[in-house]
Amino acid sequence: MARRVRPGRSTAALVVAVGALAAACGAPGSNSPQPAASASAPLSGTPTCGTAPVALNGYFETGFPLPKALTTEFSKQHPNVTWNIREDQFAVITQNAPRVLADNPPDLMRLPQVSELVKDNLLKNLDGYAQAFGWDKWPASQLEQLRLGPGGRPRGQGSLYAMGLNFSMTGVFYNKKLAARIGMSTPPATLEEFDAALAKAKDAGITPIVQFNGGATGGLAFPLQSLMASYGPPGPINDWIFQKPGATIDTPSNLRAAQHLERWVKAGYFQKDVNAVDYATMMSRFIDGQGLFMFNGDWESGNLDKQMPGDVGFLLMPPAQKGGKRATMSAPLTFGIGANAKNADCAAFFLNWVATDRKAREITVEVGGSHPMGPADAYMPDVAADTVTAGTLAAGADIAKDNGAMDFIANATGAIYAKSWTPNLQKLVAGQQTPQGLLKAVQADYTSQLEGN
Amino acid sequence: MTRPVPGQSPPRPAAVAKARSARGWAGWLFVIPAFAFYAVFVLRPIALTAQYSLYRWDGIGPSTWVGLANYAKVFTDPDLFDSLVNAFKLIVFFSVIPVVLGLTIAATIRRIAQSRLALVARTVLFLPQVIPLVAAGIAWSWLLSSTGVVNQLLSLVGLGGVTRAWLGDLSTALPAVGMIGAWVLLGLCTILLLAGMSKIDPALYEAARLDGAGAWREFVSITVPSLRQEIGVCVTVTVIAALASFDIVYISTQGGPGNATMVPGLQIYYLAFSEREVGMASALAMVLMVLVIAIALPIQRLTKDTDQ
Amino acid sequence: MIIARREAWTGRLLLVLLMAVTILPFLSLFVTALHPSGTYPVGLAWPSDPQWGNFVTAFQAANMSELLKSSVLIVLGVVPISILLGTMAGFALGHLRMAGSRLVFLLFVLGLTLPFEGVITPLYYQIRDMGLLNTRWAIILPLIGLFMPFSVFWMRAHFVNMPGELSESARIDGANVWQLFRRIHVPLAMPAISSLGILLFLWTWNQFLLAIVLVDDPVKRTMSGALGAFQGQWGTDIPLLCAGSLLILTPTLVIFLIFQRRFVTALLQGSVKG
């Protein structure tokens, strides 16, 4: 090496340049534009999609044909509207929601948990549309879960920030052929009878429950919440999900539910590889006849009626005591409009169309398998009595009678599903987490997430 | 280098000085465009990562200064710290297996390195290097599933008892992810080491044979020492691949089950973009960058003889 | 003699085994892709009725022609600029060696082992503030910067070994620095440049993290990023997912098989120098 490093003028200049580039001026976020709270401005007249060409940006969930079926029909009726649709799995949507809404707001988006989105003013306040379209005259329970107080807490009251494409509900699907093999002629009426059916299936060499619990989505949350509903009232669980002050998931009845779930795991009622099964795998296994029960939602009714016609039944999780009230997870298929969406009016018009158009309601029932949103006296398409769809719609009526609708425990905060429920449920399956530990861990994460916000 | 050395009396000092300063000028003009890209898209982000790591920020609203609290959490929060531990466990699979197995294989096939079969193998073994890691992740998730080929083969050889969903089992998920990495890197290491072996003087082996050395002695006293530099390269490349793994884990397990395969790269991604803990993500990113440099540098020092 | 022959046979056996393990995932993808769409095939079993149409379906579903175009555009944005700037800087740092060049070089070396995850967070906000989110520029510009340490390092290693006389004689002929670079050094550097080009092409094409973070629309991503989105959208249909994966890895495979000799050399040298 002939030349040695000579710290000279050029070096000094370099250091200055790098320093300037670091631009360490001001704290992060101090100079980025803050989205302002969108107070709902009164609308002049009812919004429409107009007649000029409009391209709506949609962000939907993978694997669910309903939104696409609706948008296709909508474009048929309103040819000036075209759709740019992006799809992702629900876990990915949950991850992407805040930044997509902040930086590239879609006109219509499948929403995960909304509290934090509302807090950051990322969602359009729909009160104005609700008034213009008369949504506020629908049965109030339909929209309750989509209302939020100022700053996003608590949920269940306040302004409307999202809409449902339908009102879906979860429960237990069962394979009628396998049920006949174990002599289950009527759906179990109590938890005890349900346990007996599981045991019989196991003895007969049938997988009692096919469920998903792999990747980033812990599907054992479905049976867990069903068991919670068997053991206790839905009210406290809803309070927890709605982030009411002082609410906790770590209650005695929930503990009994979690212990019951653990017994199922230990008894081998789930598939051995449940921690590696994703939603799609679960569906194809159930359709393939590889299991008796599946905890899932009525959004699959239409699909199951098509894939295994006449062979599937639906039941609500039976209560612990005979004749007890029933409750289940039941929530609108939530869609929202970005606070800064370009075509908000047209998106709102679409949402209203979904709930009120005759053809749209038919699609909602046939493809979606769930109850449409809308006025109580709105048109209901006929459904053949031997279909699962008929079963789920009837169950929906039962739940309404018992006032047993709960939101999903995975919707309590934006991160609670991926960060807390999923890993802890996966550990429970592997025997590395106890029922008590599960609830405590989730509650701790819940508390710290609420403090952080 | 034939460069005028200070002390040698140059014939026309003024002219040389002028030429040199012109060259200095031109040199900077040649470097500045490249440096500008580097500064804007690498140095500035590194500086910003360092800055973000001192704040609590959700990426949207205003931020709060928290000092070193984020770093404290990286080392105390089990979720975050475990991701670092997992990265080190992955080194066993990403580095140790490819290097050790690669050495063994290369030593075994050294004699037939010029055969037609070896030439074909050179192409085939490179395939994992060429395809996107994402594709490798998808293919292997499928192979390792409960009904996949791996279990099929195990059952065939009478090991039906150990079959399982390899990526869905808390105790095997991380090794399974590691095996995907080993698959990707084994070919590269083998061929790299083989290329190094072809440069070893055959006379060394002849001499050893005459001395009655066995294959093992040969391997330990000739092959390995001669390959110091190649081994160093393999270790560096694979260790970095292990510490900074992202694509494979993102596709095959998303960090699950139960955080068993969470690695720093994925954790940073989740923290920054889904949990919106930008400060925490940045602190973890700083730790990761420092770790990579702290590990890569000594390996380079140890294995390179003398740097120019 | 006998020992040598036995050794050779063990070697052959080992090679074949190793190749089998390497090819197994591709084979599994291929066989699975031929099963009827929507089914859940078990292990490695040839389907009774191979569905070659799955490839067509996947090609359309993944919008493959658009994806190819997008990846090509991104490669065309990244590779030529990286090569040009990297070669220029490598020339200055390796051959001209002006005062302070060693320090600049050390700064570049600092970035050589940088994990991209380390800077992805600020990059996101930086790209957003530049208004480039969801454009191909969001992948192109940062990649040029992120590949720069390697490009410079690689080209410098070449220029360091170029004898100084080469320039002296040209300079006597009155050539200025640019002419010197353009007429004498670039032609001599072509082997190094083409290897660099191959490596940059491969790394750009397969780039995943930047694509999924900075660009939401799969049609504006790299092939690799698009495959991630394809998994998101069609992950529910295993045979189709496998068909799509195979289609998406075909372009690099084809290019690799055509240029395999250069590829292998470039990758070997690349890892040795990197």
Coordinates of all heavy atoms in Angstrom, one line a residue, chain B residues 6-36:
Chain B
P6 N 6.3 9.6 -2.8 CA 7.0 10.8 -2.2 C 8.4 10.5 -1.9 O 8.7 9.4 -1.5 CB 6.2 11.0 -0.9 CG 4.9 10.3 -1.1 CD 5.2 9.2 -2.1
G7 N 9.3 11.4 -2.2 CA 10.7 11.1 -2.0 C 11.5 11.1 -3.4 O 12.5 11.6 -3.5
Q8 N 10.8 10.3 -4.3 CA 11.4 10.3 -5.6 C 11.2 11.7 -6.2 O 10.1 12.3 -6.1 CB 10.6 9.4 -6.5 CG 11.4 8.3 -7.2 CD 10.5 7.4 -7.9 OE1 9.3 7.5 -8.0 NE2 11.1 6.3 -8.5
S9 N 12.2 12.3 -6.7 CA 12.0 13.7 -7.2 C 11.4 13.7 -8.5 O 12.0 13.2 -9.5 CB 13.4 14.4 -7.2 OG 14.1 14.1 -8.4
P10 N 10.2 14.2 -8.6 CA 9.5 14.2 -9.9 C 10.0 15.2 -10.8 O 10.4 16.3 -10.4 CB 8.0 14.5 -9.5 CG 8.1 15.1 -8.1 CD 9.4 14.9 -7.6
P11 N 10.0 15.0 -12.1 CA 10.6 15.9 -13.0 C 9.9 17.2 -13.1 O 10.5 18.3 -13.1 CB 10.6 15.2 -14.4 CG 9.6 14.0 -14.2 CD 9.5 13.8 -12.8
R12 N 8.5 17.2 -13.3 CA 7.8 18.4 -13.4 C 6.7 18.5 -12.3 O 5.6 18.1 -12.6 CB 7.2 18.6 -14.8 CG 8.2 18.8 -15.9 CD 7.6 18.7 -17.2 NE 7.1 17.4 -17.5 CZ 6.2 17.0 -18.4 NH1 5.7 18.0 -19.2 NH2 5.8 15.8 -18.6
P13 N 7.1 19.0 -11.1 CA 6.2 18.9 -10.0 C 4.8 19.6 -10.3 O 3.8 19.0 -9.9 CB 6.9 19.7 -8.9 CG 8.3 20.0 -9.4 CD 8.4 19.7 -10.9
A14 N 4.8 20.7 -10.9 CA 3.6 21.4 -11.2 C 2.6 20.6 -12.0 O 1.4 20.4 -11.6 CB 3.9 22.7 -11.9
A15 N 3.1 20.0 -13.0 CA 2.3 19.2 -13.9 C 1.7 18.0 -13.2 O 0.5 17.7 -13.4 CB 3.1 18.8 -15.2
V16 N 2.6 17.3 -12.4 CA 2.1 16.1 -11.8 C 1.0 16.5 -10.8 O -0.1 15.8 -10.7 CB 3.2 15.4 -11.1 CG1 2.7 14.3 -10.1 CG2 4.2 14.8 -12.1
A17 N 1.2 17.6 -10.0 CA 0.3 18.0 -9.0 C -1.1 18.3 -9.7 O -2.2 17.9 -9.2 CB 0.8 19.2 -8.3
K18 N -1.0 18.9 -10.9 CA -2.2 19.3 -11.6 C -2.9 18.0 -12.0 O -4.1 17.9 -11.8 CB -1.8 20.1 -12.8 CG -3.0 20.9 -13.4 CD -2.5 21.8 -14.6 CE -3.7 22.0 -15.5 NZ -3.2 22.3 -16.9
A19 N -2.2 17.1 -12.6 CA -2.8 15.8 -13.0 C -3.4 15.1 -11.9 O -4.5 14.6 -12.0 CB -1.7 14.9 -13.7
R20 N -2.7 15.1 -10.7 CA -3.3 14.4 -9.6 C -4.6 15.0 -9.1 O -5.5 14.3 -8.8 CB -2.2 14.3 -8.5 CG -2.7 13.4 -7.4 CD -1.8 13.5 -6.2 NE -0.6 12.9 -6.3 CZ 0.4 13.0 -5.4 NH1 0.2 13.9 -4.4 NH2 1.6 12.4 -5.5
S21 N -4.6 16.3 -9.0 CA -5.8 17.0 -8.5 C -6.9 16.8 -9.5 O -8.1 16.6 -9.1 CB -5.5 18.4 -8.2 OG -5.7 19.2 -9.4
A22 N -6.6 16.8 -10.8 CA -7.6 16.5 -11.8 C -8.2 15.1 -11.6 O -9.4 14.9 -11.6 CB -7.1 16.7 -13.2
R23 N -7.3 14.2 -11.3 CA -7.7 12.8 -11.1 C -8.6 12.7 -9.8 O -9.6 12.0 -9.8 CB -6.5 11.9 -11.0 CG -6.7 10.6 -11.6 CD -5.8 9.6 -11.0 NE -4.5 9.7 -11.6 CZ -3.5 8.8 -11.3 NH1 -3.7 8.0 -10.3 NH2 -2.4 8.9 -11.9
G24 N -8.2 13.5 -8.8 CA -9.0 13.5 -7.6 C -10.4 14.0 -7.8 O -11.3 13.4 -7.4
W25 N -10.4 15.1 -8.6 CA -11.7 15.6 -8.9 C -12.6 14.6 -9.7 O -13.7 14.3 -9.3 CB -11.5 16.8 -9.9 CG -11.7 18.1 -9.3 CD1 -10.8 19.0 -8.8 CD2 -13.0 18.7 -9.0 NE1 -11.4 20.1 -8.3 CE2 -12.7 19.9 -8.3 CE3 -14.3 18.3 -9.1 CZ2 -13.8 20.8 -7.9 CZ3 -15.3 19.1 -8.7 CH2 -15.0 20.3 -8.1
A26 N -12.0 14.1 -10.7 CA -12.7 13.1 -11.5 C -13.1 11.9 -10.7 O -14.2 11.4 -10.8 CB -11.8 12.6 -12.7
G27 N -12.2 11.5 -9.8 CA -12.5 10.4 -8.9 C -13.8 10.6 -8.1 O -14.7 9.7 -8.1
W28 N -13.9 11.8 -7.6 CA -15.1 12.0 -6.8 C -16.3 12.1 -7.7 O -17.4 11.6 -7.3 CB -14.9 13.4 -6.0 CG -14.0 13.2 -4.9 CD1 -12.8 13.7 -4.7 CD2 -14.3 12.5 -3.7 NE1 -12.2 13.3 -3.5 CE2 -13.2 12.5 -2.9 CE3 -15.4 11.7 -3.2 CZ2 -13.1 11.9 -1.6 CZ3 -15.4 11.1 -2.0 CH2 -14.2 11.2 -1.2
L29 N -16.2 12.6 -8.9 CA -17.3 12.6 -9.8 C -17.8 11.2 -10.1 O -19.0 11.0 -10.3 CB -17.0 13.4 -11.1 CG -16.9 14.9 -10.9 CD1 -16.5 15.5 -12.3 CD2 -18.2 15.4 -10.4
F30 N -16.8 10.3 -10.2 CA -17.2 8.9 -10.5 C -17.8 8.2 -9.3 O -18.6 7.3 -9.5 CB -15.9 8.1 -10.9 CG -15.6 8.2 -12.3 CD1 -15.0 9.3 -12.9 CD2 -15.8 7.1 -13.1 CE1 -14.7 9.3 -14.2 CE2 -15.6 7.1 -14.5 CZ -15.0 8.2 -15.0
V31 N -17.5 8.7 -8.1 CA -18.0 8.0 -6.9 C -19.4 8.5 -6.5 O -20.2 7.8 -6.0 CB -17.0 8.1 -5.8 CG1 -17.6 7.6 -4.5 CG2 -15.8 7.3 -6.1
I32 N -19.5 9.9 -6.7 CA -20.7 10.5 -6.1 C -22.0 9.9 -6.5 O -22.9 9.7 -5.6 CB -20.6 12.0 -6.3 CG1 -19.6 12.6 -5.3 CG2 -22.0 12.7 -6.2 CD1 -19.3 14.1 -5.6
P33 N -22.3 9.6 -7.7 CA -23.6 9.0 -8.0 C -23.9 7.7 -7.3 O -25.0 7.6 -6.7 CB -23.6 8.7 -9.5 CG -22.5 9.6 -10.1 CD -21.5 9.7 -8.9
A34 N -22.9 6.9 -7.2 CA -23.1 5.6 -6.5 C -23.3 5.9 -5.0 O -24.2 5.3 -4.4 CB -21.9 4.7 -6.7
F35 N -22.5 6.8 -4.5 CA -22.6 7.1 -3.1 C -23.9 7.7 -2.7 O -24.4 7.5 -1.7 CB -21.4 8.0 -2.7 CG -21.3 8.1 -1.2 CD1 -20.6 7.0 -0.5 CD2 -21.7 9.2 -0.5 CE1 -20.5 7.1 0.9 CE2 -21.6 9.2 0.9 CZ -21.0 8.2 1.6
A36 N -24.4 8.6 -3.6 CA -25.7 9.2 -3.4 C -26.8 8.2 -3.2 O -27.5 8.2 -2.2 CB -26.0 10.2 -4.5

